[in-house]
PDB file of all heavy atoms in Angstrom:
ATOM      1  N   VAL A   1     121.436  95.347  89.775  1.00 95.00           N
ATOM      2  CA  VAL A   1     121.176  96.734  90.193  1.00 95.00           C
ATOM      3  C   VAL A   1     119.735  96.958  90.638  1.00 95.00           C
ATOM      4  O   VAL A   1     119.485  97.446  91.737  1.00 95.00           O
ATOM      5  CB  VAL A   1     121.547  97.724  89.070  1.00 95.00           C
ATOM      6  CG1 VAL A   1     121.295  99.170  89.506  1.00 95.00           C
ATOM      7  CG2 VAL A   1     123.009  97.539  88.656  1.00 95.00           C
ATOM      8  N   ILE A   2     118.772  96.620  89.785  1.00 94.00           N
ATOM      9  CA  ILE A   2     117.386  96.951  90.137  1.00 94.00           C
ATOM     10  C   ILE A   2     116.528  95.740  90.461  1.00 94.00           C
ATOM     11  O   ILE A   2     115.411  95.898  90.960  1.00 94.00           O
ATOM     12  CB  ILE A   2     116.702  97.767  89.019  1.00 94.00           C
ATOM     13  CG1 ILE A   2     116.579  96.942  87.733  1.00 94.00           C
ATOM     14  CG2 ILE A   2     117.438  99.072  88.777  1.00 94.00           C
ATOM     15  CD1 ILE A   2     115.758  97.651  86.661  1.00 94.00           C
ATOM     16  N   GLY A   3     117.023  94.528  90.164  1.00 89.00           N
ATOM     17  CA  GLY A   3     116.220  93.347  90.443  1.00 89.00           C
ATOM     18  C   GLY A   3     115.876  93.221  91.919  1.00 89.00           C
ATOM     19  O   GLY A   3     116.736  93.407  92.785  1.00 89.00           O
ATOM     20  N   ASP A   4     114.611  92.930  92.200  1.00 91.00           N
ATOM     21  CA  ASP A   4     114.120  92.706  93.567  1.00 91.00           C
ATOM     22  C   ASP A   4     114.310  93.926  94.473  1.00 91.00           C
ATOM     23  O   ASP A   4     114.507  93.803  95.686  1.00 91.00           O
ATOM     24  CB  ASP A   4     114.801  91.486  94.184  1.00 91.00           C
ATOM     25  CG  ASP A   4     114.554  90.227  93.379  1.00 91.00           C
ATOM     26  OD1 ASP A   4     113.401  90.018  92.969  1.00 91.00           O
ATOM     27  OD2 ASP A   4     115.511  89.473  93.142  1.00 91.00           O
ATOM     28  N   THR A   5     114.253  95.122  93.896  1.00 94.00           N
ATOM     29  CA  THR A   5     114.289  96.357  94.681  1.00 94.00           C
ATOM     30  C   THR A   5     112.943  97.062  94.575  1.00 94.00           C
ATOM     31  O   THR A   5     112.160  96.805  93.662  1.00 94.00           O
ATOM     32  CB  THR A   5     115.389  97.318  94.197  1.00 94.00           C
ATOM     33  OG1 THR A   5     115.096  97.731  92.858  1.00 94.00           O
ATOM     34  CG2 THR A   5     116.751  96.653  94.237  1.00 94.00           C
ATOM     35  N   THR A   6     112.691  97.947  95.523  1.00 94.00           N
ATOM     36  CA  THR A   6     111.461  98.746  95.514  1.00 94.00           C
ATOM     37  C   THR A   6     111.822 100.218  95.510  1.00 94.00           C
ATOM     38  O   THR A   6     112.667 100.670  96.283  1.00 94.00           O
ATOM     39  CB  THR A   6     110.595  98.433  96.750  1.00 94.00           C
ATOM     40  OG1 THR A   6     110.221  97.044  96.716  1.00 94.00           O
ATOM     41  CG2 THR A   6     109.337  99.281  96.754  1.00 94.00           C
ATOM     42  N   ILE A   7     111.182 100.965  94.612  1.00 90.00           N
ATOM     43  CA  ILE A   7     111.395 102.410  94.488  1.00 90.00           C
ATOM     44  C   ILE A   7     110.072 103.098  94.782  1.00 90.00           C
ATOM     45  O   ILE A   7     109.019 102.690  94.286  1.00 90.00           O
ATOM     46  CB  ILE A   7     111.877 102.772  93.080  1.00 90.00           C
ATOM     47  CG1 ILE A   7     113.137 101.982  92.717  1.00 90.00           C
ATOM     48  CG2 ILE A   7     112.127 104.277  92.959  1.00 90.00           C
ATOM     49  CD1 ILE A   7     113.496 102.041  91.252  1.00 90.00           C
ATOM     50  N   ALA A   8     110.107 104.135  95.594  1.00 89.00           N
ATOM     51  CA  ALA A   8     108.883 104.873  95.919  1.00 89.00           C
ATOM     52  C   ALA A   8     109.162 106.363  95.834  1.00 89.00           C
ATOM     53  O   ALA A   8     110.262 106.829  96.139  1.00 89.00           O
ATOM     54  CB  ALA A   8     108.389 104.507  97.311  1.00 89.00           C
ATOM     55  N   GLU A   9     108.150 107.104  95.409  1.00 85.00           N
ATOM     56  CA  GLU A   9     108.297 108.549  95.316  1.00 85.00           C
ATOM     57  C   GLU A   9     106.953 109.208  95.578  1.00 85.00           C
ATOM     58  O   GLU A   9     105.913 108.727  95.122  1.00 85.00           O
ATOM     59  CB  GLU A   9     108.819 108.947  93.930  1.00 85.00           C
ATOM     60  CG  GLU A   9     109.183 110.414  93.825  1.00 85.00           C
ATOM     61  CD  GLU A   9     109.935 110.737  92.543  1.00 85.00           C
ATOM     62  OE1 GLU A   9     110.569 109.819  91.985  1.00 85.00           O
ATOM     63  OE2 GLU A   9     109.887 111.900  92.107  1.00 85.00           O
ATOM     64  N   ASN A  10     106.986 110.296  96.303  1.00 84.00           N
ATOM     65  CA  ASN A  10     105.766 111.018  96.652  1.00 84.00           C
ATOM     66  C   ASN A  10     105.825 112.431  96.100  1.00 84.00           C
ATOM     67  O   ASN A  10     106.780 113.168  96.352  1.00 84.00           O
ATOM     68  CB  ASN A  10     105.605 111.071  98.182  1.00 84.00           C
ATOM     69  CG  ASN A  10     104.306 111.712  98.600  1.00 84.00           C
ATOM     70  OD1 ASN A  10     103.290 111.575  97.919  1.00 84.00           O
ATOM     71  ND2 ASN A  10     104.322 112.426  99.712  1.00 84.00           N
ATOM     72  N   ARG A  11     104.816 112.805  95.305  1.00 79.00           N
ATOM     73  CA  ARG A  11     104.743 114.156  94.747  1.00 79.00           C
ATOM     74  C   ARG A  11     103.392 114.761  95.084  1.00 79.00           C
ATOM     75  O   ARG A  11     102.521 114.096  95.633  1.00 79.00           O
ATOM     76  CB  ARG A  11     104.967 114.124  93.239  1.00 79.00           C
ATOM     77  CG  ARG A  11     106.333 113.555  92.847  1.00 79.00           C
ATOM     78  CD  ARG A  11     106.725 113.945  91.464  1.00 79.00           C
ATOM     79  NE  ARG A  11     108.028 113.407  91.094  1.00 79.00           N
ATOM     80  CZ  ARG A  11     108.688 113.765  90.000  1.00 79.00           C
ATOM     81  NH1 ARG A  11     108.165 114.658  89.174  1.00 79.00           N
ATOM     82  NH2 ARG A  11     109.868 113.237  89.725  1.00 79.00           N
ATOM     83  N   ALA A  12     103.210 116.007  94.717  1.00 75.00           N
ATOM     84  CA  ALA A  12     102.007 116.734  95.137  1.00 75.00           C
ATOM     85  C   ALA A  12     100.726 116.098  94.606  1.00 75.00           C
ATOM     86  O   ALA A  12      99.746 115.943  95.331  1.00 75.00           O
ATOM     87  CB  ALA A  12     102.102 118.190  94.681  1.00 75.00           C
ATOM     88  N   ASP A  13     100.726 115.733  93.316  1.00 76.00           N
ATOM     89  CA  ASP A  13      99.495 115.241  92.699  1.00 76.00           C
ATOM     90  C   ASP A  13      99.497 113.741  92.445  1.00 76.00           C
ATOM     91  O   ASP A  13      98.493 113.184  92.011  1.00 76.00           O
ATOM     92  CB  ASP A  13      99.245 115.969  91.376  1.00 76.00           C
ATOM     93  CG  ASP A  13      98.961 117.447  91.607  1.00 76.00           C
ATOM     94  OD1 ASP A  13      98.296 117.776  92.607  1.00 76.00           O
ATOM     95  OD2 ASP A  13      99.414 118.274  90.787  1.00 76.00           O
ATOM     96  N   CYS A  14     100.613 113.092  92.691  1.00 79.00           N
ATOM     97  CA  CYS A  14     100.667 111.647  92.466  1.00 79.00           C
ATOM     98  C   CYS A  14     101.841 111.058  93.236  1.00 79.00           C
ATOM     99  O   CYS A  14     102.811 111.746  93.541  1.00 79.00           O
ATOM    100  CB  CYS A  14     100.802 111.316  90.975  1.00 79.00           C
ATOM    101  SG  CYS A  14     102.318 111.936  90.221  1.00 79.00           S
ATOM    102  N   SER A  15     101.707 109.792  93.548  1.00 83.00           N
ATOM    103  CA  SER A  15     102.780 109.036  94.188  1.00 83.00           C
ATOM    104  C   SER A  15     102.823 107.665  93.535  1.00 83.00           C
ATOM    105  O   SER A  15     101.854 107.232  92.895  1.00 83.00           O
ATOM    106  CB  SER A  15     102.517 108.884  95.692  1.00 83.00           C
ATOM    107  OG  SER A  15     102.393 110.145  96.320  1.00 83.00           O
ATOM    108  N   PHE A  16     103.966 106.980  93.678  1.00 86.00           N
ATOM    109  CA  PHE A  16     104.025 105.640  93.119  1.00 86.00           C
ATOM    110  C   PHE A  16     104.945 104.758  93.945  1.00 86.00           C
ATOM    111  O   PHE A  16     105.851 105.235  94.639  1.00 86.00           O
ATOM    112  CB  PHE A  16     104.491 105.667  91.659  1.00 86.00           C
ATOM    113  CG  PHE A  16     105.960 105.969  91.479  1.00 86.00           C
ATOM    114  CD1 PHE A  16     106.912 104.966  91.493  1.00 86.00           C
ATOM    115  CD2 PHE A  16     106.382 107.277  91.266  1.00 86.00           C
ATOM    116  CE1 PHE A  16     108.251 105.242  91.317  1.00 86.00           C
ATOM    117  CE2 PHE A  16     107.733 107.570  91.084  1.00 86.00           C
ATOM    118  CZ  PHE A  16     108.666 106.545  91.113  1.00 86.00           C
ATOM    119  N   ILE A  17     104.682 103.466  93.874  1.00 92.00           N
ATOM    120  CA  ILE A  17     105.552 102.431  94.432  1.00 92.00           C
ATOM    121  C   ILE A  17     105.910 101.497  93.284  1.00 92.00           C
ATOM    122  O   ILE A  17     105.042 100.929  92.623  1.00 92.00           O
ATOM    123  CB  ILE A  17     104.858 101.641  95.553  1.00 92.00           C
ATOM    124  CG1 ILE A  17     104.437 102.597  96.685  1.00 92.00           C
ATOM    125  CG2 ILE A  17     105.772 100.546  96.091  1.00 92.00           C
ATOM    126  CD1 ILE A  17     103.578 101.920  97.740  1.00 92.00           C
ATOM    127  N   TRP A  18     107.211 101.348  93.030  1.00 91.00           N
ATOM    128  CA  TRP A  18     107.722 100.607  91.882  1.00 91.00           C
ATOM    129  C   TRP A  18     108.474  99.383  92.411  1.00 91.00           C
ATOM    130  O   TRP A  18     109.581  99.492  92.906  1.00 91.00           O
ATOM    131  CB  TRP A  18     108.655 101.506  91.088  1.00 91.00           C
ATOM    132  CG  TRP A  18     109.087 101.013  89.741  1.00 91.00           C
ATOM    133  CD1 TRP A  18     109.717  99.847  89.459  1.00 91.00           C
ATOM    134  CD2 TRP A  18     108.950 101.711  88.503  1.00 91.00           C
ATOM    135  NE1 TRP A  18     109.996  99.759  88.122  1.00 91.00           N
ATOM    136  CE2 TRP A  18     109.530 100.895  87.503  1.00 91.00           C
ATOM    137  CE3 TRP A  18     108.398 102.935  88.138  1.00 91.00           C
ATOM    138  CZ2 TRP A  18     109.586 101.280  86.169  1.00 91.00           C
ATOM    139  CZ3 TRP A  18     108.446 103.313  86.815  1.00 91.00           C
ATOM    140  CH2 TRP A  18     109.018 102.495  85.834  1.00 91.00           C
ATOM    141  N   GLU A  19     107.845  98.215  92.302  1.00 95.00           N
ATOM    142  CA  GLU A  19     108.434  96.981  92.832  1.00 95.00           C
ATOM    143  C   GLU A  19     108.988  96.121  91.697  1.00 95.00           C
ATOM    144  O   GLU A  19     108.281  95.814  90.745  1.00 95.00           O
ATOM    145  CB  GLU A  19     107.386  96.196  93.611  1.00 95.00           C
ATOM    146  CG  GLU A  19     106.819  96.943  94.816  1.00 95.00           C
ATOM    147  CD  GLU A  19     105.685  96.200  95.469  1.00 95.00           C
ATOM    148  OE1 GLU A  19     104.556  96.294  94.959  1.00 95.00           O
ATOM    149  OE2 GLU A  19     105.920  95.522  96.487  1.00 95.00           O
ATOM    150  N   ASN A  20     110.265  95.757  91.812  1.00 95.00           N
ATOM    151  CA  ASN A  20     110.921  94.949  90.791  1.00 95.00           C
ATOM    152  C   ASN A  20     111.064  93.502  91.264  1.00 95.00           C
ATOM    153  O   ASN A  20     111.425  93.259  92.421  1.00 95.00           O
ATOM    154  CB  ASN A  20     112.318  95.492  90.498  1.00 95.00           C
ATOM    155  CG  ASN A  20     112.282  96.886  89.912  1.00 95.00           C
ATOM    156  OD1 ASN A  20     112.082  97.057  88.719  1.00 95.00           O
ATOM    157  ND2 ASN A  20     112.488  97.889  90.750  1.00 95.00           N
ATOM    158  N   THR A  21     110.815  92.580  90.361  1.00 95.00           N
ATOM    159  CA  THR A  21     111.049  91.161  90.629  1.00 95.00           C
ATOM    160  C   THR A  21     111.772  90.578  89.423  1.00 95.00           C
ATOM    161  O   THR A  21     111.238  90.588  88.306  1.00 95.00           O
ATOM    162  CB  THR A  21     109.742  90.401  90.861  1.00 95.00           C
ATOM    163  OG1 THR A  21     109.010  91.023  91.926  1.00 95.00           O
ATOM    164  CG2 THR A  21     110.018  88.948  91.228  1.00 95.00           C
ATOM    165  N   TYR A  22     112.988  90.094  89.644  1.00 95.00           N
ATOM    166  CA  TYR A  22     113.808  89.593  88.536  1.00 95.00           C
ATOM    167  C   TYR A  22     113.898  88.077  88.576  1.00 95.00           C
ATOM    168  O   TYR A  22     114.155  87.485  89.629  1.00 95.00           O
ATOM    169  CB  TYR A  22     115.215  90.193  88.600  1.00 95.00           C
ATOM    170  CG  TYR A  22     116.139  89.671  87.523  1.00 95.00           C
ATOM    171  CD1 TYR A  22     115.972  90.053  86.200  1.00 95.00           C
ATOM    172  CD2 TYR A  22     117.166  88.784  87.837  1.00 95.00           C
ATOM    173  CE1 TYR A  22     116.808  89.578  85.211  1.00 95.00           C
ATOM    174  CE2 TYR A  22     118.015  88.299  86.848  1.00 95.00           C
ATOM    175  CZ  TYR A  22     117.830  88.704  85.534  1.00 95.00           C
ATOM    176  OH  TYR A  22     118.661  88.232  84.560  1.00 95.00           O
ATOM    177  N   ASP A  23     113.680  87.444  87.410  1.00 94.00           N
ATOM    178  CA  ASP A  23     113.824  85.999  87.276  1.00 94.00           C
ATOM    179  C   ASP A  23     115.078  85.720  86.455  1.00 94.00           C
ATOM    180  O   ASP A  23     115.133  86.022  85.253  1.00 94.00           O
ATOM    181  CB  ASP A  23     112.604  85.400  86.588  1.00 94.00           C
ATOM    182  CG  ASP A  23     112.704  83.883  86.485  1.00 94.00           C
ATOM    183  OD1 ASP A  23     112.409  83.206  87.474  1.00 94.00           O
ATOM    184  OD2 ASP A  23     113.094  83.396  85.399  1.00 94.00           O
ATOM    185  N   GLU A  24     116.094  85.157  87.100  1.00 91.00           N
ATOM    186  CA  GLU A  24     117.390  84.984  86.445  1.00 91.00           C
ATOM    187  C   GLU A  24     117.332  83.974  85.313  1.00 91.00           C
ATOM    188  O   GLU A  24     118.041  84.112  84.306  1.00 91.00           O
ATOM    189  CB  GLU A  24     118.444  84.576  87.466  1.00 91.00           C
ATOM    190  CG  GLU A  24     119.855  84.657  86.937  1.00 91.00           C
ATOM    191  CD  GLU A  24     120.892  84.679  88.046  1.00 91.00           C
ATOM    192  OE1 GLU A  24     120.521  84.883  89.218  1.00 91.00           O
ATOM    193  OE2 GLU A  24     122.077  84.507  87.712  1.00 91.00           O
ATOM    194  N   GLU A  25     116.494  82.973  85.430  1.00 91.00           N
ATOM    195  CA  GLU A  25     116.427  81.945  84.387  1.00 91.00           C
ATOM    196  C   GLU A  25     115.884  82.511  83.083  1.00 91.00           C
ATOM    197  O   GLU A  25     116.428  82.260  82.004  1.00 91.00           O
ATOM    198  CB  GLU A  25     115.564  80.775  84.856  1.00 91.00           C
ATOM    199  CG  GLU A  25     115.489  79.646  83.841  1.00 91.00           C
ATOM    200  CD  GLU A  25     114.694  78.460  84.356  1.00 91.00           C
ATOM    201  OE1 GLU A  25     114.334  78.451  85.546  1.00 91.00           O
ATOM    202  OE2 GLU A  25     114.442  77.536  83.567  1.00 91.00           O
ATOM    203  N   SER A  26     114.811  83.280  83.168  1.00 93.00           N
ATOM    204  CA  SER A  26     114.199  83.844  81.963  1.00 93.00           C
ATOM    205  C   SER A  26     114.809  85.182  81.573  1.00 93.00           C
ATOM    206  O   SER A  26     114.577  85.671  80.466  1.00 93.00           O
ATOM    207  CB  SER A  26     112.694  84.033  82.179  1.00 93.00           C
ATOM    208  OG  SER A  26     112.450  85.029  83.173  1.00 93.00           O
ATOM    209  N   GLN A  27     115.583  85.786  82.489  1.00 93.00           N
ATOM    210  CA  GLN A  27     116.172  87.115  82.305  1.00 93.00           C
ATOM    211  C   GLN A  27     115.103  88.204  82.180  1.00 93.00           C
ATOM    212  O   GLN A  27     115.327  89.246  81.581  1.00 93.00           O
ATOM    213  CB  GLN A  27     117.097  87.154  81.083  1.00 93.00           C
ATOM    214  CG  GLN A  27     118.301  86.241  81.168  1.00 93.00           C
ATOM    215  CD  GLN A  27     119.142  86.264  79.921  1.00 93.00           C
ATOM    216  OE1 GLN A  27     119.289  85.264  79.216  1.00 93.00           O
ATOM    217  NE2 GLN A  27     119.703  87.415  79.618  1.00 93.00           N
ATOM    218  N   ILE A  28     113.953  87.946  82.782  1.00 96.00           N
ATOM    219  CA  ILE A  28     112.844  88.897  82.697  1.00 96.00           C
ATOM    220  C   ILE A  28     112.632  89.582  84.040  1.00 96.00           C
ATOM    221  O   ILE A  28     112.617  88.936  85.088  1.00 96.00           O
ATOM    222  CB  ILE A  28     111.542  88.185  82.252  1.00 96.00           C
ATOM    223  CG1 ILE A  28     111.685  87.722  80.795  1.00 96.00           C
ATOM    224  CG2 ILE A  28     110.337  89.113  82.400  1.00 96.00           C
ATOM    225  CD1 ILE A  28     110.515  86.920  80.284  1.00 96.00           C
ATOM    226  N   ASN A  29     112.484  90.892  83.982  1.00 96.00           N
ATOM    227  CA  ASN A  29     112.214  91.697  85.167  1.00 96.00           C
ATOM    228  C   ASN A  29     110.761  92.175  85.129  1.00 96.00           C
ATOM    229  O   ASN A  29     110.310  92.713  84.111  1.00 96.00           O
ATOM    230  CB  ASN A  29     113.142  92.919  85.212  1.00 96.00           C
ATOM    231  CG  ASN A  29     113.106  93.620  86.558  1.00 96.00           C
ATOM    232  OD1 ASN A  29     113.743  93.184  87.509  1.00 96.00           O
ATOM    233  ND2 ASN A  29     112.348  94.701  86.637  1.00 96.00           N
ATOM    234  N   GLU A  30     110.043  91.935  86.217  1.00 95.00           N
ATOM    235  CA  GLU A  30     108.657  92.404  86.321  1.00 95.00           C
ATOM    236  C   GLU A  30     108.626  93.697  87.125  1.00 95.00           C
ATOM    237  O   GLU A  30     109.201  93.787  88.203  1.00 95.00           O
ATOM    238  CB  GLU A  30     107.777  91.365  87.021  1.00 95.00           C
ATOM    239  CG  GLU A  30     106.342  91.843  87.237  1.00 95.00           C
ATOM    240  CD  GLU A  30     105.537  90.868  88.083  1.00 95.00           C
ATOM    241  OE1 GLU A  30     105.037  89.883  87.530  1.00 95.00           O
ATOM    242  OE2 GLU A  30     105.429  91.110  89.304  1.00 95.00           O
ATOM    243  N   TYR A  31     107.959  94.701  86.566  1.00 91.00           N
ATOM    244  CA  TYR A  31     107.693  95.936  87.288  1.00 91.00           C
ATOM    245  C   TYR A  31     106.227  95.938  87.716  1.00 91.00           C
ATOM    246  O   TYR A  31     105.338  95.897  86.859  1.00 91.00           O
ATOM    247  CB  TYR A  31     107.899  97.159  86.407  1.00 91.00           C
ATOM    248  CG  TYR A  31     109.266  97.341  85.795  1.00 91.00           C
ATOM    249  CD1 TYR A  31     109.510  96.979  84.474  1.00 91.00           C
ATOM    250  CD2 TYR A  31     110.294  97.917  86.519  1.00 91.00           C
ATOM    251  CE1 TYR A  31     110.745  97.180  83.893  1.00 91.00           C
ATOM    252  CE2 TYR A  31     111.540  98.117  85.945  1.00 91.00           C
ATOM    253  CZ  TYR A  31     111.766  97.752  84.638  1.00 91.00           C
ATOM    254  OH  TYR A  31     112.988  97.952  84.063  1.00 91.00           O
ATOM    255  N   ALA A  32     105.982  95.978  88.999  1.00 92.00           N
ATOM    256  CA  ALA A  32     104.628  96.200  89.503  1.00 92.00           C
ATOM    257  C   ALA A  32     104.581  97.643  89.985  1.00 92.00           C
ATOM    258  O   ALA A  32     105.194  97.996  90.988  1.00 92.00           O
ATOM    259  CB  ALA A  32     104.304  95.239  90.630  1.00 92.00           C
ATOM    260  N   VAL A  33     103.900  98.487  89.231  1.00 88.00           N
ATOM    261  CA  VAL A  33     103.884  99.925  89.525  1.00 88.00           C
ATOM    262  C   VAL A  33     102.499 100.313  90.042  1.00 88.00           C
ATOM    263  O   VAL A  33     101.504 100.206  89.318  1.00 88.00           O
ATOM    264  CB  VAL A  33     104.233 100.762  88.284  1.00 88.00           C
ATOM    265  CG1 VAL A  33     104.428 102.223  88.670  1.00 88.00           C
ATOM    266  CG2 VAL A  33     105.468 100.225  87.592  1.00 88.00           C
ATOM    267  N   THR A  34     102.450 100.733  91.300  1.00 90.00           N
ATOM    268  CA  THR A  34     101.195 101.160  91.913  1.00 90.00           C
ATOM    269  C   THR A  34     101.183 102.680  91.994  1.00 90.00           C
ATOM    270  O   THR A  34     102.101 103.297  92.547  1.00 90.00           O
ATOM    271  CB  THR A  34     101.030 100.566  93.321  1.00 90.00           C
ATOM    272  OG1 THR A  34     101.046  99.127  93.221  1.00 90.00           O
ATOM    273  CG2 THR A  34      99.726 101.010  93.952  1.00 90.00           C
ATOM    274  N   PHE A  35     100.138 103.283  91.420  1.00 85.00           N
ATOM    275  CA  PHE A  35     100.005 104.737  91.388  1.00 85.00           C
ATOM    276  C   PHE A  35      98.914 105.182  92.346  1.00 85.00           C
ATOM    277  O   PHE A  35      97.879 104.514  92.504  1.00 85.00           O
ATOM    278  CB  PHE A  35      99.621 105.216  89.986  1.00 85.00           C
ATOM    279  CG  PHE A  35     100.569 104.798  88.913  1.00 85.00           C
ATOM    280  CD1 PHE A  35     100.322 103.656  88.154  1.00 85.00           C
ATOM    281  CD2 PHE A  35     101.710 105.521  88.655  1.00 85.00           C
ATOM    282  CE1 PHE A  35     101.189 103.260  87.164  1.00 85.00           C
ATOM    283  CE2 PHE A  35     102.593 105.137  87.667  1.00 85.00           C
ATOM    284  CZ  PHE A  35     102.328 104.001  86.927  1.00 85.00           C
ATOM    285  N   PHE A  36      99.133 106.329  92.946  1.00 85.00           N
ATOM    286  CA  PHE A  36      98.110 106.999  93.746  1.00 85.00           C
ATOM    287  C   PHE A  36      97.913 108.368  93.105  1.00 85.00           C
ATOM    288  O   PHE A  36      98.754 109.266  93.225  1.00 85.00           O
ATOM    289  CB  PHE A  36      98.555 107.125  95.207  1.00 85.00           C
ATOM    290  CG  PHE A  36      98.832 105.799  95.861  1.00 85.00           C
ATOM    291  CD1 PHE A  36     100.088 105.214  95.788  1.00 85.00           C
ATOM    292  CD2 PHE A  36      97.821 105.121  96.529  1.00 85.00           C
ATOM    293  CE1 PHE A  36     100.345 103.987  96.371  1.00 85.00           C
ATOM    294  CE2 PHE A  36      98.063 103.889  97.125  1.00 85.00           C
ATOM    295  CZ  PHE A  36      99.326 103.319  97.045  1.00 85.00           C
ATOM    296  N   LEU A  37      96.811 108.514  92.375  1.00 79.00           N
ATOM    297  CA  LEU A  37      96.567 109.697  91.555  1.00 79.00           C
ATOM    298  C   LEU A  37      95.563 110.616  92.231  1.00 79.00           C
ATOM    299  O   LEU A  37      94.459 110.195  92.598  1.00 79.00           O
ATOM    300  CB  LEU A  37      96.051 109.284  90.176  1.00 79.00           C
ATOM    301  CG  LEU A  37      96.915 108.248  89.433  1.00 79.00           C
ATOM    302  CD1 LEU A  37      96.220 107.774  88.179  1.00 79.00           C
ATOM    303  CD2 LEU A  37      98.273 108.821  89.127  1.00 79.00           C
ATOM    304  N   ARG A  38      95.923 111.878  92.393  1.00 79.00           N
ATOM    305  CA  ARG A  38      95.070 112.851  93.059  1.00 79.00           C
ATOM    306  C   ARG A  38      93.898 113.250  92.158  1.00 79.00           C
ATOM    307  O   ARG A  38      94.080 113.645  91.013  1.00 79.00           O
ATOM    308  CB  ARG A  38      95.868 114.096  93.433  1.00 79.00           C
ATOM    309  CG  ARG A  38      95.095 115.121  94.256  1.00 79.00           C
ATOM    310  CD  ARG A  38      95.975 116.331  94.555  1.00 79.00           C
ATOM    311  NE  ARG A  38      95.275 117.366  95.276  1.00 79.00           N
ATOM    312  CZ  ARG A  38      95.170 117.433  96.600  1.00 79.00           C
ATOM    313  NH1 ARG A  38      95.758 116.506  97.338  1.00 79.00           N
ATOM    314  NH2 ARG A  38      94.514 118.410  97.183  1.00 79.00           N
ATOM    315  N   GLU A  39      92.685 113.114  92.677  1.00 81.00           N
ATOM    316  CA  GLU A  39      91.481 113.507  91.951  1.00 81.00           C
ATOM    317  C   GLU A  39      91.141 114.965  92.241  1.00 81.00           C
ATOM    318  O   GLU A  39      91.724 115.598  93.126  1.00 81.00           O
ATOM    319  CB  GLU A  39      90.303 112.599  92.358  1.00 81.00           C
ATOM    320  CG  GLU A  39      90.571 111.111  92.167  1.00 81.00           C
ATOM    321  CD  GLU A  39      90.428 110.658  90.727  1.00 81.00           C
ATOM    322  OE1 GLU A  39      90.636 111.465  89.803  1.00 81.00           O
ATOM    323  OE2 GLU A  39      90.117 109.479  90.527  1.00 81.00           O
ATOM    324  N   ASP A  40      90.168 115.491  91.486  1.00 78.00           N
ATOM    325  CA  ASP A  40      89.779 116.888  91.661  1.00 78.00           C
ATOM    326  C   ASP A  40      89.219 117.174  93.052  1.00 78.00           C
ATOM    327  O   ASP A  40      89.326 118.301  93.555  1.00 78.00           O
ATOM    328  CB  ASP A  40      88.724 117.272  90.601  1.00 78.00           C
ATOM    329  CG  ASP A  40      89.316 117.288  89.199  1.00 78.00           C
ATOM    330  OD1 ASP A  40      90.555 117.432  89.087  1.00 78.00           O
ATOM    331  OD2 ASP A  40      88.549 117.154  88.234  1.00 78.00           O
TER     332      ASP A  40
END
């Protein structure tokens, strides 16, 4: 379902890109989450 997919969302004060990488041998999913946070 979510392995090797990318999720992105844009909001008023923050945005993010959520990249999934799944390794079937170890059964471990890596989330690389990049945030763009609005400053004052």
Side-chain angles (χ1 to χ4, degrees):
V1 181
I2 64 173
D4 301 316
T5 64
T6 299
I7 305 167
E9 188 169 335
N10 184 34
R11 300 199 180 190
D13 294 323
C14 62
S15 302
F16 73 88
I17 301 172
W18 191 303
E19 299 174 279
N20 296 278
T21 304
Y22 177 72
D23 182 81
E24 192 162 347
E25 182 177 352
S26 66
Q27 297 177 244
I28 292 176
N29 192 80
E30 176 187 278
Y31 302 100
V33 189
T34 300
F35 303 96
F36 301 88
L37 307 172
R38 186 181 177 88
E39 304 281 28
D40 292 338

